[in-house]
Amino acid sequence: MHELSIAREIVNIALRKGEEAGASRIESVRVRIGEFTAVEPDCLRLYFGALTEGTLADGAALKAEIVPLRAVCPACDQPFTPEALCFRCPGCGSPDISITSGRELYVESIEVT
Amino acid sequence: MEIQVVARIMEANDLLAQEVRGILGANGVTAFNIMGTPGSGKTSVIERLFAALQGQVRIAAIEGDIATSLDAERLSTLGIETVQVNTGGECHLDAGMVKTAIAKLDLQSVDLLVIENVGNLVCPAEFDIGESKKVMVISVPEGDDKVQKYPLMFRLADAIVINKIDLMPYVDFNRVNFHVCLADLNPNAPIFEISCSTGENLDELTEWVRAVVSGAR
């Protein structure tokens, strides 16, 4: 239920941007959610719906794009997808890899009228 | 009309976490974010560390709980300066709560601030609270499958404590599976198998804590 705090931040950001743009209504909010985050999009939508009631974004759709988990081994310069929760380079077995995507939590854009 | 935003959702929290980190750093304080399941022994680990490091490392605590001040009372009884934070339903601590709590502590007289998060293996993961290290505490009766079930938290941990190893003969905990999973998921985090009841292997954990704190000084 930490999605409540996260939904609150999304709503704050969307409302601030909508107001700055002088929008009369926010139709939708597009977010990018990494696959390897502790965020459940359906849960987020539920709170988003409740938090936007009576605001500029009342009834707005929350569109979530899920960003897949990817990593790279700096030694091999080899990008890979960690499979079965194994965060070692499939080439050299090194544990010193960097996650390149999958940890995103971003508000990308808002659709306004 | 579409308006590009590209704003980090966690930015407000992360800015506060940086403030906390700055305040703690300026006072030479190392901070641990203690995360783990309810009942795994997070408070007991703090009690044991306090006893083992008395006279060497000055410890203060922040106790995060949804309700009650039971844990803060436990630690205060031992003489640990403790601030209780009640999250009022929130399942995790955030940087704002910690910023308010550290204002109540005399940080000049603290070497190590242990921040006990709300017992939970999911929610605290995304919230930076300005800590130096994330320390996870789980216990043997919970089962060895927790690594696979809650991978994010295990991946983010800087150290992992398995408590209640004295119960190993009585419960179904596949130690090999636990270590094999962790070796792939988070190969760099040290793992401490301890018992707060018997004191087994607590010296290893204490040594690690001492090294982290002295490295920050």
Side-chain angles (χ1 to χ4, degrees):
Chain A
M1 70 151 278
H2 58 294
E3 278 91 350
L4 173 59
S5 312
I6 291 171
R8 197 179 285 128
E9 287 305 316
I10 294 172
V11 172
N12 287 345
I13 292 167
L15 290 179
R16 196 169 65 233
K17 292 289 173 181
E19 281 161 19
E20 278 171 22
S24 57
R25 204 174 115 72
I26 297 173
E27 303 281 346
S28 67
V29 176
R30 211 151 56 81
V31 294
R32 276 162 62 87
I33 308 288
E35 183 188 353
F36 200 52
T37 60
V39 177
E40 190 54 58
D42 285 341
C43 185
L44 210 53
R45 266 184 213 104
L46 190 72
Y47 289 124
F48 179 83
L51 291 167
T52 47
E53 263 177 43
T55 73
L56 208 57
D58 199 336
L62 181 69
K63 297 176 178 175
E65 180 200 342
I66 307 300
V67 187
L69 175 61
R70 294 281 289 164
V72 70
C73 172
C76 304
D77 199 22
Q78 186 66 47
F80 67 98
T81 301
E83 305 273 0
L85 300 177
C86 181
F87 287 75
R88 286 175 181 277
C89 171
C92 68
S94 167
D96 298 313
I97 57 103
S98 312
I99 294 178
T100 49
S101 76
R103 293 280 301 130
E104 294 81 352
L105 286 174
Y106 278 95
V107 176
E108 274 297 293
S109 62
I110 56 173
E111 183 76 36
V112 300
T113 50
Chain B
M1 180 180 59
E2 191 179 16
I3 299 171
Q4 289 300 311
V5 179
V6 197
R8 291 186 44 243
I9 295 169
M10 300 307 291
E11 189 170 28
N13 180 76
D14 292 353
L15 286 173
L16 284 167
Q18 280 312 322
E19 267 186 60
V20 170
R21 201 164 272 122
I23 295 166
L24 295 175
N27 286 283
V29 177
T30 300
F32 287 172
N33 180 359
I34 312 271
M35 300 185 285
T37 30
S40 58
K42 297 185 295 301
T43 314
S44 299
V45 169
I46 297 169
E47 288 172 335
R48 282 291 196 160
L49 284 176
F50 178 74
L53 292 164
Q54 209 151 19
Q56 305 162 55
V57 174
R58 297 167 299 171
I59 296 179
I62 295 174
E63 279 293 328
D65 285 294
I66 289 173
T68 79
S69 57
L70 294 171
D71 282 356
E73 285 159 23
R74 256 177 80 177
L75 296 183
S76 297
T77 306
L78 296 176
I80 307 176
E81 198 187 350
T82 308
V83 178
Q84 178 76 52
V85 176
N86 283 138
T87 61
E90 293 280 9
C91 46
H92 57 272
L93 289 174
D94 64 32
M97 296 175 197
V98 173
K99 193 187 167 198
T100 306
I102 59 171
K104 296 175 185 161
L105 290 167
D106 173 20
L107 295 174
Q108 280 294 322
S109 61
V110 176
D111 300 313
L112 174 64
L113 176 63
V114 280
I115 307 168
E116 184 178 335
N117 218 313
V118 180
N120 187 318
L121 288 181
V122 182
C123 306
E126 296 297 345
F127 292 82
D128 181 0
I129 54 171
E131 74 276 340
S132 328
K133 300 276 184 203
K134 292 182 196 292
V135 179
M136 263 195 84
V137 180
I138 72 145
S139 66
V140 162
E142 296 157 36
D144 55 279
D145 57 358
K146 291 297 166 290
V147 182
Q148 290 140 291
K149 286 186 171 177
Y150 303 93
L152 179 62
M153 186 92 76
F154 280 96
R155 169 70 197 177
L156 297 178
D158 296 301
I160 294 157
V161 176
I162 312 170
N163 189 23
K164 309 185 191 178
I165 54 160
D166 52 310
L167 298 182
M168 203 82 89
Y170 312 106
V171 295
D172 187 17
F173 183 89
N174 186 329
R175 198 168 158 259
V176 173
N177 184 53
F178 186 86
H179 282 276
V180 165
C181 291
L182 266 182
D184 282 341
L185 180 62
N186 189 348
N188 295 326
I191 301 166
F192 302 98
E193 299 187 358
I194 66 159
S195 167
C196 284
S197 295
T198 65
E200 200 173 345
N201 297 338
L202 269 161
D203 44 348
E204 287 172 31
L205 176 64
T206 307
E207 269 318 302
W208 179 80
V209 173
R210 206 196 316 264
V212 170
V213 173
S214 62
R217 271 182 192 147

CSV table of all heavy atoms in Angstrom, one decimal, chain B residues 86-116:
chain,number,residue,atom,x,y,z
B,86,ASN,N,5.5,7.1,14.5
B,86,ASN,CA,4.4,6.3,14.1
B,86,ASN,C,3.9,6.8,12.8
B,86,ASN,O,3.6,8.0,12.6
B,86,ASN,CB,3.2,6.4,15.2
B,86,ASN,CG,3.5,5.6,16.4
B,86,ASN,OD1,3.3,6.0,17.5
B,86,ASN,ND2,4.0,4.4,16.2
B,87,THR,N,3.8,5.8,11.9
B,87,THR,CA,3.5,6.2,10.5
B,87,THR,C,2.0,6.4,10.2
B,87,THR,O,1.7,6.9,9.1
B,87,THR,CB,4.1,5.1,9.5
B,87,THR,OG1,3.4,3.9,9.8
B,87,THR,CG2,5.6,5.0,9.6
B,88,GLY,N,1.2,6.1,11.2
B,88,GLY,CA,-0.2,6.3,11.0
B,88,GLY,C,-0.8,5.5,9.9
B,88,GLY,O,-1.6,6.1,9.1
B,89,GLY,N,-0.4,4.3,9.7
B,89,GLY,CA,-1.0,3.5,8.7
B,89,GLY,C,-0.1,3.2,7.5
B,89,GLY,O,-0.2,2.2,6.8
B,90,GLU,N,0.9,4.1,7.3
B,90,GLU,CA,1.8,3.9,6.2
B,90,GLU,C,2.7,2.7,6.5
B,90,GLU,O,3.1,2.5,7.6
B,90,GLU,CB,2.7,5.2,6.0
B,90,GLU,CG,2.0,6.4,5.5
B,90,GLU,CD,1.7,6.4,4.0
B,90,GLU,OE1,1.9,5.3,3.3
B,90,GLU,OE2,1.3,7.4,3.5
B,91,CYS,N,3.0,2.0,5.5
B,91,CYS,CA,3.7,0.7,5.6
B,91,CYS,C,5.2,0.8,5.5
B,91,CYS,O,5.9,-0.2,5.4
B,91,CYS,CB,3.2,-0.3,4.6
B,91,CYS,SG,3.1,0.5,3.0
B,92,HIS,N,5.7,2.1,5.5
B,92,HIS,CA,7.2,2.3,5.4
B,92,HIS,C,7.5,3.6,6.0
B,92,HIS,O,6.6,4.5,6.2
B,92,HIS,CB,7.5,2.3,3.9
B,92,HIS,CG,6.7,3.4,3.2
B,92,HIS,ND1,5.4,3.1,2.6
B,92,HIS,CD2,6.9,4.7,2.9
B,92,HIS,CE1,5.0,4.2,2.1
B,92,HIS,NE2,5.8,5.2,2.3
B,93,LEU,N,8.8,3.8,6.2
B,93,LEU,CA,9.2,5.2,6.6
B,93,LEU,C,9.6,5.9,5.3
B,93,LEU,O,10.0,5.3,4.4
B,93,LEU,CB,10.5,5.1,7.5
B,93,LEU,CG,10.3,4.6,8.9
B,93,LEU,CD1,11.7,4.4,9.6
B,93,LEU,CD2,9.4,5.5,9.7
B,94,ASP,N,9.4,7.3,5.3
B,94,ASP,CA,9.9,8.0,4.2
B,94,ASP,C,10.9,9.1,4.8
B,94,ASP,O,11.1,9.2,6.0
B,94,ASP,CB,8.8,8.7,3.4
B,94,ASP,CG,8.0,9.7,4.2
B,94,ASP,OD1,8.5,10.4,5.0
B,94,ASP,OD2,6.7,9.8,3.9
B,95,ALA,N,11.6,9.7,3.8
B,95,ALA,CA,12.7,10.6,4.2
B,95,ALA,C,12.2,11.8,5.1
B,95,ALA,O,12.9,12.3,6.0
B,95,ALA,CB,13.4,11.1,3.0
B,96,GLY,N,11.0,12.3,4.8
B,96,GLY,CA,10.4,13.4,5.6
B,96,GLY,C,10.2,13.0,7.1
B,96,GLY,O,10.5,13.8,8.0
B,97,MET,N,9.8,11.8,7.3
B,97,MET,CA,9.6,11.3,8.7
B,97,MET,C,10.9,11.2,9.4
B,97,MET,O,11.1,11.6,10.6
B,97,MET,CB,9.0,9.9,8.7
B,97,MET,CG,7.6,9.8,8.1
B,97,MET,SD,7.1,8.0,8.1
B,97,MET,CE,5.7,8.1,6.9
B,98,VAL,N,11.9,10.7,8.7
B,98,VAL,CA,13.3,10.6,9.3
B,98,VAL,C,13.9,12.0,9.6
B,98,VAL,O,14.5,12.2,10.6
B,98,VAL,CB,14.2,9.7,8.4
B,98,VAL,CG1,15.6,9.7,8.9
B,98,VAL,CG2,13.7,8.3,8.3
B,99,LYS,N,13.6,12.9,8.6
B,99,LYS,CA,14.2,14.3,8.8
B,99,LYS,C,13.6,14.9,10.1
B,99,LYS,O,14.3,15.5,10.9
B,99,LYS,CB,13.8,15.2,7.6
B,99,LYS,CG,14.6,16.5,7.6
B,99,LYS,CD,14.1,17.4,6.5
B,99,LYS,CE,14.7,18.8,6.8
B,99,LYS,NZ,14.1,19.8,6.1
B,100,THR,N,12.3,14.7,10.3
B,100,THR,CA,11.7,15.2,11.5
B,100,THR,C,12.2,14.5,12.8
B,100,THR,O,12.5,15.2,13.8
B,100,THR,CB,10.1,15.0,11.5
B,100,THR,OG1,9.6,15.5,10.3
B,100,THR,CG2,9.4,15.6,12.7
B,101,ALA,N,12.5,13.2,12.7
B,101,ALA,CA,12.9,12.4,13.8
B,101,ALA,C,14.4,12.8,14.2
B,101,ALA,O,14.7,12.9,15.4
B,101,ALA,CB,12.8,11.0,13.5
B,102,ILE,N,15.2,13.0,13.2
B,102,ILE,CA,16.7,13.3,13.6
B,102,ILE,C,16.8,14.7,14.2
B,102,ILE,O,17.8,14.9,15.0
B,102,ILE,CB,17.7,13.2,12.4
B,102,ILE,CG1,17.3,14.1,11.2
B,102,ILE,CG2,17.8,11.7,11.9
B,102,ILE,CD1,18.4,14.2,10.2
B,103,ALA,N,15.8,15.6,14.0
B,103,ALA,CA,15.9,16.9,14.7
B,103,ALA,C,15.7,16.7,16.2
B,103,ALA,O,16.1,17.6,16.9
B,103,ALA,CB,14.8,17.8,14.1
B,104,LYS,N,15.2,15.6,16.6
B,104,LYS,CA,15.0,15.4,18.1
B,104,LYS,C,16.2,14.7,18.7
B,104,LYS,O,16.2,14.4,19.9
B,104,LYS,CB,13.8,14.5,18.3
B,104,LYS,CG,12.5,15.2,17.8
B,104,LYS,CD,11.3,14.2,17.9
B,104,LYS,CE,10.0,14.9,17.3
B,104,LYS,NZ,9.0,13.9,17.0
B,105,LEU,N,17.2,14.4,17.9
B,105,LEU,CA,18.4,13.7,18.5
B,105,LEU,C,19.6,14.7,18.5
B,105,LEU,O,19.7,15.6,17.7
B,105,LEU,CB,18.8,12.5,17.6
B,105,LEU,CG,17.8,11.4,17.6
B,105,LEU,CD1,18.1,10.4,16.4
B,105,LEU,CD2,17.9,10.6,18.9
B,106,ASP,N,20.5,14.4,19.5
B,106,ASP,CA,21.7,15.2,19.6
B,106,ASP,C,22.7,14.4,18.8
B,106,ASP,O,23.4,13.5,19.3
B,106,ASP,CB,22.2,15.3,21.1
B,106,ASP,CG,23.6,15.9,21.2
B,106,ASP,OD1,24.0,16.6,20.2
B,106,ASP,OD2,24.2,15.7,22.2
B,107,LEU,N,22.8,14.8,17.5
B,107,LEU,CA,23.6,14.0,16.5
B,107,LEU,C,25.1,14.1,16.8
B,107,LEU,O,25.8,13.2,16.4
B,107,LEU,CB,23.3,14.4,15.1
B,107,LEU,CG,21.9,14.2,14.6
B,107,LEU,CD1,21.6,14.8,13.3
B,107,LEU,CD2,21.6,12.7,14.6
B,108,GLN,N,25.5,15.1,17.5
B,108,GLN,CA,26.9,15.3,17.8
B,108,GLN,C,27.4,14.1,18.7
B,108,GLN,O,28.6,13.8,18.7
B,108,GLN,CB,27.2,16.6,18.5
B,108,GLN,CG,27.3,17.8,17.5
B,108,GLN,CD,28.5,17.7,16.6
B,108,GLN,OE1,29.6,17.3,17.1
B,108,GLN,NE2,28.4,18.1,15.4
B,109,SER,N,26.5,13.5,19.5
B,109,SER,CA,26.9,12.5,20.4
B,109,SER,C,26.5,11.1,19.9
B,109,SER,O,26.3,10.2,20.6
B,109,SER,CB,26.3,12.7,21.8
B,109,SER,OG,24.9,12.7,21.7
B,110,VAL,N,26.3,11.0,18.5
B,110,VAL,CA,25.9,9.7,17.9
B,110,VAL,C,26.9,9.3,16.9
B,110,VAL,O,27.3,10.1,16.0
B,110,VAL,CB,24.5,9.8,17.3
B,110,VAL,CG1,24.1,8.6,16.6
B,110,VAL,CG2,23.5,10.2,18.3
B,111,ASP,N,27.4,8.0,16.9
B,111,ASP,CA,28.2,7.5,15.8
B,111,ASP,C,27.3,6.7,14.8
B,111,ASP,O,27.6,6.8,13.6
B,111,ASP,CB,29.3,6.6,16.4
B,111,ASP,CG,30.2,7.3,17.4
B,111,ASP,OD1,30.6,8.4,17.0
B,111,ASP,OD2,30.4,6.7,18.5
B,112,LEU,N,26.4,5.9,15.4
B,112,LEU,CA,25.6,5.1,14.5
B,112,LEU,C,24.1,5.3,14.9
B,112,LEU,O,23.7,5.1,16.0
B,112,LEU,CB,26.0,3.6,14.8
B,112,LEU,CG,25.1,2.6,14.1
B,112,LEU,CD1,25.2,2.7,12.6
B,112,LEU,CD2,25.5,1.1,14.5
B,113,LEU,N,23.4,5.7,13.8
B,113,LEU,CA,21.9,5.8,14.0
B,113,LEU,C,21.3,4.6,13.3
B,113,LEU,O,21.4,4.4,12.1
B,113,LEU,CB,21.5,7.1,13.3
B,113,LEU,CG,19.9,7.4,13.3
B,113,LEU,CD1,19.4,7.5,14.7
B,113,LEU,CD2,19.6,8.6,12.5
B,114,VAL,N,20.6,3.8,14.1
B,114,VAL,CA,19.9,2.7,13.5
B,114,VAL,C,18.4,3.0,13.4
B,114,VAL,O,17.8,3.4,14.3
B,114,VAL,CB,20.0,1.4,14.4
B,114,VAL,CG1,21.4,0.7,14.1
B,114,VAL,CG2,19.9,1.6,15.8
B,115,ILE,N,18.0,3.0,12.1
B,115,ILE,CA,16.6,3.4,11.8
B,115,ILE,C,15.8,2.1,11.5
B,115,ILE,O,16.1,1.4,10.5
B,115,ILE,CB,16.5,4.3,10.6
B,115,ILE,CG1,17.5,5.5,10.9
B,115,ILE,CG2,15.1,4.8,10.4
B,115,ILE,CD1,17.7,6.4,9.6
B,116,GLU,N,15.0,1.7,12.5
B,116,GLU,CA,14.2,0.4,12.3
B,116,GLU,C,13.0,0.8,11.5
B,116,GLU,O,12.1,1.5,11.9
B,116,GLU,CB,13.9,-0.2,13.6
B,116,GLU,CG,13.2,-1.5,13.4
B,116,GLU,CD,12.8,-2.3,14.6
B,116,GLU,OE1,13.5,-2.1,15.7
B,116,GLU,OE2,11.9,-3.1,14.6
